[in-house]
């Protein structure tokens, strides 16, 4: 029984330390053994205990053990008999690689007392590894044009053994093309070369397979093999060859273009690019033959490029070269003979000369436009030709001589209807079947100035806000001329006339090329509400033609006038108004009326009145009508009221932004006996409200009838004028007069009478009137009736 004791690395380090401390009592020894690699388990190596002088009985008590660096399980000691034997497989190549010397170092340790012995076990090589190649197959590519004695390196084999077991020799299987030559280089390693014995022929053998054998020097010998696969590369040593040297082809002369004439086929015994063939016309082929035929260089197909004509040539000899695509190409040759067979295939031919173009659209009838000559290369009926034109063209053909025609004008031309005529002339022979030919003549019609510039509509309505900046663009006129070139080049100008005392050109101008109309100065609605003028458009033809368009420019009102105060009974315009009021008057007594006008129109002239709060915040006993301007009492006056009341009335229009003016009214409170007679009369009038109301109604009815009659007459006259004028399309036009009411509850308001000048350049200025409809307040008092009477009379006279 074999006793073996293994210790941990920590125990070994402790033992080594003890060895250093007890080196004085440690013994030493050196043994050397040898063992072949691959020895079986239990193979005897040596009697290690006996050789070290140890008694077998002492091995166990003295803790006999063996330690080795690296693998510890390769060798083991039988403690029963002290024999060192092989414990596991020993592979020298794995243990030492290709090192010439290989051994296992053992340390034998015994205790009590401590002794250390060194044992070296040499591992001897055996021939257990055959030669091996890195690949199972080696492929070589050799050009067939390589000369004999050419050499080609071959990768050798490797043997993991050493010494004679790794000494290799090589053998090559017998063949007629290659030998093997082995050389030794400076590192004493073998260098293998294949030596070419005779020239290769790829066309005969494309591939050679050789077996390379490597044999080592061991006993017994071991071998390794590798397959050598030699591919013979092609060399361009064969020229292309055709099946025939001469090819004969017959074709009808009316064979269409693109028809296949013949497909050539040349072959080449080479391979790869040396076998690829391209076909070309020989240098011997003239250019006129190349113009008739086309050769596909890849497929060898010869096709007709242009139609053949027996009358021109009835025999073509075409020399063809077949060239391979090698770097140093070889060429094969053949000839293709094409015989053309005659048929009746000649259509008529036409020639158009002496073109008198372009033709003016006012050219007289029978004007000669072109001369046409026809011919046919055939004979007899096949050569007799007649000509005709496409229908529905203003031209005709006139025969002037045999096979000669004139193209003449047959009806009037209009370039604006059609500017170019494509006239097709057809020539047809009398063959059976007949052949024909066509020729196209593009007849261009030249323009004459026969169209005046035309506007899209005869009149335009333009709206411009007053106070415009000088030079602003207000409109663009555009006229179209159906003619061409300079006959259609339109320029614009104003039709000059007087506008009142000033020239039209002082108000507006027009750009000659673009037709843009500009206002040269700011326009004033209060001075000029309508500016009517004409713009002329004239082309550049000779003589020039022109037309006019009317522009109606309405000047729209803007809020640019401040309300103006009118003169009153007690003060001048813009000054303070003084009124005497008895302290005994009651609520609703009309003290006075503030009158103002606005030079603007519409909402810009719609005025409202506001009473500014008194200084100190005291509540005033007076109020002002929002739209009437009447100042009246809000309550009965008493002694606490100041004897002098200063009222500030703010007059404001409804423009954006609103403009304002102020009026100052001084009201003196007096006793009843000190009131003026006028006040008494007013009080007396207030005492009789029915009589005042009757007077107001009479005047109001008269005023309304007069205004209504004038308005109806104006509308009838305007409608008659508009109906008699030609219809126009305008973006927007002057609308009907709008009656503007002051508010939802209604009140009186009026605008200043003014005569608005509407200038069209013809006739006297016209009168424009705009009135605001009144709306009576709810529950008028007697004082209000008197004021209403005065206001109605005032409005009536202002309107008239």
């Amino acid at each position: 029984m074999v006793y073996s004791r293994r210790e941990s690395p920590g125990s070994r380090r402790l033992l080594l330390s003890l060895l250093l401390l007890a080196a004085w009592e440690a013994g030493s020894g050196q043994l050397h053994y040898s063992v072949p690699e691959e020895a079986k388990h239990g193979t005897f190596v040596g009697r290690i205990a006996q050789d070290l002088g140890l008694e077998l009985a002492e091995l166990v008590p003295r803790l006999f053990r063996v330690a080795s660096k690296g693998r510890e399980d390769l060798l083991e000691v039988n403690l029963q008999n002290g024999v060192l034997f092989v414990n596991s497989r020993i592979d020298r190549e794995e243990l030492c690689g290709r090192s010439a010397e290989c051994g296992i170092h053992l340390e034998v340790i015994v205790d009590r007392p401590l002794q250390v012995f060194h044992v070296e076990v040499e591992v001897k090589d055996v021939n257990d590894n055959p030669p091996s190649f890195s690949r199972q197959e080696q492929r070589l590519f050799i050009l067939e044009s390589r000369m004999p004695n050419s050499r080609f390196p071959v990768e050798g084999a490797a043997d993991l053994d050493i010494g004679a077991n790794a000494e290799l020799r090589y053998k090559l299987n017998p063949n007629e093309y290659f030998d093997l030559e082995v050389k030794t280089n400076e590192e004493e390693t073998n260098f293998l070369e294949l030596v070419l014995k005779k020239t290769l022929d790829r066309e005969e053998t494309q591939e050679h397979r050789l077996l390379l054998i490597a044999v080592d020097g061991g006993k017994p010998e071991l071998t390794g093999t590798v397959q050598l696969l030699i591919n013979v590369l092609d060399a361009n040593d064969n020229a292309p060859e055709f099946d025939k040297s001469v090819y004969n082809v017959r074709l009808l002369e009316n064979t269409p273009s693109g028809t296949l004439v013949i497909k050539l086929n040349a072959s080449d015994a080479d391979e790869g690019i040396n076998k690829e063939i391209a076909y070309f016309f020989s240098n011997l082929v003239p250019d006129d033959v190349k113009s008739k035929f086309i050769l596909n260089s890849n497929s060898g197909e010869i096709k007709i490029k242009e139609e053949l004509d027996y009358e021109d040539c009835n025999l073509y000899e075409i020399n063809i070269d077949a060239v391979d695509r090698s770097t140093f190409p070889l060429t094969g040759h053949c000839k293709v003979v094409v015989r053309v067979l005659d048929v009746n295939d000649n259509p008529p031919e036409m020639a158009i000369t002496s073109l008198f173009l372009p033709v003016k659209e006012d050219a007289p009838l029978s004007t000669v436009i072109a001369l046409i000559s026809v011919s046919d290369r055939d004979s007899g009926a096949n050569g007799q030709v007649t000509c005709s034109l496409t229908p529905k063209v203003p031209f005709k053909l006139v025969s002037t001589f045999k096979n000669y025609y004139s193209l003449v004008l047959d009806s009037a031309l209009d370039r604006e209807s059609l500017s170019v005529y494509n006239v097709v002339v057809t020539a047809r022979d009398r063959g059976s079947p007949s052949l024909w030919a066509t020729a196209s003549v593009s007849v261009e019609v030249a323009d004459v100035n026969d169209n005046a510039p035309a506007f899209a509509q005869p009149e335009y309505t333009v709206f411009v806000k007053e106070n415009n900046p000088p030079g602003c663009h207000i409109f663009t006129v555009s006229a179209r001329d159906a003619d061409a070139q300079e006959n259609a080049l339109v320029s614009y100008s104003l039709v000059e006339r007087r506008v009142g005392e000033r020239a039209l050109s002082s108000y507006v101008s027009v750009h000659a090329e673009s037709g843009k109309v500009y206002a040269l100065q700011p326009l004033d609605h209060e001075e000029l509400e309508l500016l009517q003028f004409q713009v002329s458009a004239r082309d550049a033809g000779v003589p020039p033609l022109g037309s006019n368009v009317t522009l109606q420019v309405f000047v729209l009102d803007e809020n640019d006038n401040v309300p103006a105060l009118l003169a009153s009974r007690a003060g001048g315009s813009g000054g303070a108004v003084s009124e005497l009021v008895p302290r005994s008057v009651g609520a609703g007594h009309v003290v006075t009326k503030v009158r103002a006008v606005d030079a603007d129109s519409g909402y810009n002239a719609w005025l409202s009145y506001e009473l500014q709060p008194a200084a100190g915040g005291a509540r005033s006993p007076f109020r002002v009508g929002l739209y009437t301007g009447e100042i009246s009492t809000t309550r009965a006056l008493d002694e606490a009221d100041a004897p002098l009341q200063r009222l500030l009335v703010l007059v404001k229009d409804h423009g954006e932004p609103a403009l304002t003016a102020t009026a100052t009214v001084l009201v003196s409170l007096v006793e009843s006996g000190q009131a003026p007679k006028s006040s008494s009369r007013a009080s007396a009038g207030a005492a009789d409200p029915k009589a005042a109301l009757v007077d107001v109604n009479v005047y109001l009815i008269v005023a309304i009838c007069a205004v209504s009659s004038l308005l109806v007459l104006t509308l009838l006259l305007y409608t008659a004028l508009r109906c008699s004028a030609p219809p126009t399309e305008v973006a927007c036009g002057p609308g009907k007069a709008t009656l503007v009411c002051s508010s939802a509850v209604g009140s009186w308001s009026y605008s200043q009478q003014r005569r608005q000048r509407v200038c069209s350049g013809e006739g006297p200025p016209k009168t424009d009137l705009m009135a605001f409809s009144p709306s009576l307040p709810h529950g008028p008092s007697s004082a209000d009736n008197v004021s209403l009477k005065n206001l109605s009379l005032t409005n009536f006279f202002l309107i008239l």
Side-chain angles (χ1 to χ4, degrees):
M1 180 177 180
V2 178
Y3 175 79
S4 175
R5 180 178 180 184
R6 299 176 182 270
E7 296 183 358
S8 64
S11 300
R12 289 197 297 270
R13 287 195 294 269
L14 179 58
L15 289 175
L16 292 176
S17 300
L18 294 175
L19 289 174
L20 293 175
L21 295 173
W24 59 271
E25 59 181 31
S28 62
Q30 181 72 35
L31 295 178
H32 182 83
Y33 299 105
S34 63
V35 63
E37 66 172 329
E38 303 295 341
K40 296 180 179 180
H41 175 73
T43 300
F44 174 82
V45 178
R47 300 184 182 276
I48 190 170
Q50 180 180 349
D51 294 338
L52 291 176
L54 299 175
E55 296 295 335
L56 295 179
E58 298 176 350
L59 298 181
V60 175
R62 294 189 63 185
L63 301 178
F64 179 92
R65 59 192 179 277
V66 176
S68 66
K69 295 180 179 179
R71 298 183 62 179
E72 300 178 357
D73 59 345
L74 296 179
L75 302 173
E76 191 60 80
V77 176
N78 189 337
L79 297 180
Q80 301 298 326
N81 55 18
V83 174
L84 180 66
F85 62 92
V86 176
N87 186 43
S88 62
R89 177 179 175 269
I90 300 175
D91 187 356
R92 197 197 69 83
E93 287 76 28
E94 180 182 352
L95 191 62
C96 301
R98 295 188 58 84
S99 176
E101 296 180 357
C102 182
I104 302 174
H105 180 71
L106 301 177
E107 288 183 351
V108 179
I109 303 172
V110 293
D111 295 332
R112 303 171 187 173
L114 178 62
Q115 288 181 300
V116 178
F117 304 94
H118 298 279
V119 179
E120 191 74 26
V121 180
E122 179 185 0
V123 181
K124 294 187 176 182
D125 182 48
V126 295
N127 192 23
D128 59 342
N129 291 286
S132 63
F133 292 90
S134 61
R135 292 173 292 177
Q136 294 181 355
E137 180 182 87
Q138 294 186 30
R139 186 179 294 271
L140 286 79
F141 297 91
I142 301 176
L143 193 65
E144 66 173 330
S145 61
R146 294 296 295 266
M147 300 300 294
N149 204 32
S150 297
R151 298 172 182 270
F152 309 96
V154 178
E155 184 181 356
D159 197 314
L160 297 178
D161 297 323
I162 62 172
N165 295 331
E167 293 179 359
L168 303 179
R169 66 182 189 278
Y170 296 90
K171 296 185 296 183
L172 187 65
N173 67 315
N175 65 91
E176 60 177 319
Y177 288 99
F178 296 96
D179 278 337
L180 181 65
E181 185 175 300
V182 181
K183 296 181 180 179
T184 303
N185 56 18
E186 296 178 355
E187 290 79 15
E188 296 184 354
T189 58
N190 294 330
F191 180 71
L192 307 182
E193 287 183 333
L194 281 180
V195 181
L196 183 63
K197 294 192 296 183
K198 59 181 294 187
T199 303
L200 300 172
D201 187 358
R202 191 205 61 82
E203 289 72 31
E204 179 180 346
T205 304
Q206 297 183 4
E207 186 179 80
H208 297 269
R209 289 182 177 271
L210 305 178
L211 185 63
L212 178 61
I213 304 171
V215 183
D216 62 19
K219 300 294 183 180
E221 296 177 345
L222 299 179
T223 61
T225 60
V226 65
Q227 185 80 25
L228 299 181
L229 182 60
I230 301 173
N231 293 99
V232 182
L233 302 179
D234 182 50
N236 192 26
D237 55 350
N238 292 280
E241 294 183 359
F242 289 95
D243 299 337
K244 299 179 182 179
S245 59
V246 178
Y247 296 88
N248 291 292
V249 181
R250 295 175 180 269
L251 293 175
L252 296 175
E253 63 172 332
N254 61 354
T255 302
S257 300
T259 301
L260 179 65
V261 177
I262 190 174
K263 178 177 173 58
L264 300 175
N265 185 20
S267 59
D268 196 312
D270 294 324
E271 188 181 49
I273 194 172
N274 299 327
K275 189 175 184 177
E276 297 177 5
I277 298 175
Y279 301 89
F280 302 98
F281 286 120
S282 171
N283 294 331
L284 301 176
V285 178
D287 292 338
D288 59 341
V289 176
K290 293 180 181 179
S291 66
K292 295 292 183 181
F293 301 94
I294 185 172
L295 172 62
N296 190 316
S297 61
N298 294 322
S299 65
E301 293 181 348
I302 300 178
K303 294 183 179 180
I304 296 177
K305 183 178 181 181
E306 293 183 0
E307 293 184 356
L308 305 178
D309 191 353
Y310 178 84
E311 287 74 21
D312 290 340
C313 181
N314 58 12
L315 179 66
Y316 295 94
E317 292 185 356
I318 309 173
N319 293 294
I320 304 297
D321 292 340
V323 184
D324 59 30
R325 299 182 185 274
S326 173
T327 306
F328 302 97
L330 299 178
T331 306
H333 310 279
C334 76
K335 177 182 290 187
V336 179
V337 178
V338 180
R339 298 182 183 274
V340 182
L341 304 179
D342 183 41
V343 293
N344 183 24
D345 63 340
N346 289 291
E349 297 178 355
M350 286 187 295
I352 301 176
T353 58
S354 303
L355 293 174
F356 301 95
L357 297 177
V359 181
K360 288 189 175 182
E361 59 179 326
D362 60 349
L365 300 182
S366 299
T367 298
V368 177
I369 297 171
L371 298 179
I372 304 173
S373 62
V374 296
S375 62
D376 195 313
R377 299 179 64 186
D378 296 325
S379 58
N382 296 331
Q384 297 177 4
V385 182
T386 58
C387 291
S388 61
L389 287 180
T390 53
K392 297 181 181 180
V393 292
F395 309 101
K396 66 179 180 179
L397 287 174
V398 178
S399 179
T400 57
F401 192 68
K402 181 181 179 180
N403 293 336
Y404 283 90
Y405 295 87
S406 296
L407 180 65
V408 299
L409 183 63
D410 189 42
S411 60
L413 301 175
D414 184 7
R415 191 204 66 84
E416 287 70 37
S417 298
L418 189 61
S419 60
V420 178
Y421 292 90
N422 290 320
V423 182
V424 179
V425 183
T426 303
R428 185 181 299 271
D429 62 23
R430 296 184 180 180
S432 180
S434 63
L435 301 177
W436 68 90
T438 60
S440 179
V441 181
S442 181
V443 180
E444 181 180 355
V445 181
D447 183 55
V448 296
N449 193 26
D450 56 347
N451 290 278
F455 292 93
Q457 56 192 58
E459 181 178 296
Y460 293 94
T461 300
V462 184
F463 296 90
V464 181
K465 289 185 177 180
E466 67 173 332
N467 302 320
N468 56 282
C472 74
H473 172 236
I474 60 174
F475 192 68
T476 300
V477 295
S478 178
R480 180 182 177 275
D481 197 311
D483 294 323
Q485 297 178 355
E486 62 272 2
N487 295 331
L489 186 61
V490 180
S491 60
Y492 304 91
S493 62
L494 287 176
V495 178
E496 187 62 72
R497 59 184 63 201
R498 305 292 295 179
V499 180
E501 298 180 355
R502 300 172 59 182
L504 174 65
S505 58
S506 64
Y507 287 96
V508 292
S509 68
V510 60
H511 192 272
E513 296 180 359
S514 65
K516 291 185 176 181
V517 180
Y518 299 93
L520 299 181
Q521 63 181 10
L523 301 177
D524 189 358
H525 173 81
E526 289 72 34
E527 176 188 351
L528 183 65
E529 185 175 352
L530 173 63
L531 178 62
Q532 182 172 313
F533 58 93
Q534 288 186 328
V535 176
S536 174
R538 186 171 297 270
D539 60 28
V542 179
L545 301 178
S547 62
N548 296 342
V549 67
T550 300
L551 265 69
Q552 291 187 357
V553 180
F554 285 89
V555 183
L556 302 180
D557 181 56
E558 286 190 336
N559 193 25
D560 57 345
N561 289 281
V562 178
L565 297 172
L566 300 179
S568 62
R569 296 190 309 271
S573 175
V577 178
S578 299
E579 294 287 345
L580 298 177
V581 177
R583 289 183 178 271
S584 61
V585 298
H589 175 75
V590 177
V591 176
T592 186
K593 181 180 180 66
V594 178
R595 296 176 177 84
V597 295
D598 196 310
D600 295 320
S601 302
Y603 281 91
N604 298 329
W606 184 16
L607 303 180
S608 62
Y609 302 85
E610 298 178 6
L611 187 62
Q612 299 298 308
R619 185 175 180 182
S620 175
F622 300 96
R623 67 176 178 86
V624 65
L626 179 62
Y627 298 107
T628 61
E630 292 180 344
I631 298 176
S632 60
T633 58
T634 60
R635 57 178 172 81
L637 302 177
D638 52 26
E639 296 298 330
D641 295 322
L644 180 62
Q645 299 283 337
R646 183 182 182 87
L647 305 181
L648 184 64
V649 179
L650 178 67
V651 184
K652 180 171 63 175
D653 60 27
H654 283 73
E656 290 293 339
L659 301 179
T660 61
T662 57
T664 302
V665 179
L666 300 177
V667 179
S668 299
L669 303 182
V670 298
E671 299 300 330
S672 298
Q674 299 177 356
K677 293 181 179 182
S678 58
S679 300
S680 300
R681 286 195 300 270
S683 300
D688 190 7
K690 293 183 179 179
L693 184 61
V694 170
D695 294 340
V696 170
N697 291 338
V698 171
Y699 289 114
L700 184 61
I701 291 172
V702 172
I704 290 175
C705 291
V707 172
S708 300
S709 301
L710 181 61
L711 178 62
V712 170
L713 181 61
T714 303
L715 291 176
L716 291 177
L717 180 60
Y718 178 75
T719 303
L721 292 176
R722 296 296 289 180
C723 293
S724 62
T728 59
E729 296 181 1
V730 296
C732 55
K736 297 180 180 179
T738 303
L739 300 178
V740 182
C741 189
S742 60
S743 68
V745 299
S747 62
W748 280 98
S749 179
Y750 60 92
S751 63
Q752 177 190 13
Q753 178 197 14
R754 66 177 184 276
R755 296 178 58 84
Q756 296 177 335
R757 301 177 59 192
V758 182
C759 297
S760 62
E762 298 177 358
K766 302 177 182 179
T767 300
D768 183 31
L769 175 65
M770 180 173 290
F772 296 94
S773 60
S775 179
L776 292 175
H778 295 285
S781 64
S782 61
D784 291 336
N785 292 333
V786 175
S787 178
L788 180 63
K789 173 184 176 182
N790 296 334
L791 178 61
S792 301
L793 290 174
T794 302
N795 284 336
F796 175 74
F797 289 112
L798 286 176
I799 291 172
L800 296 179

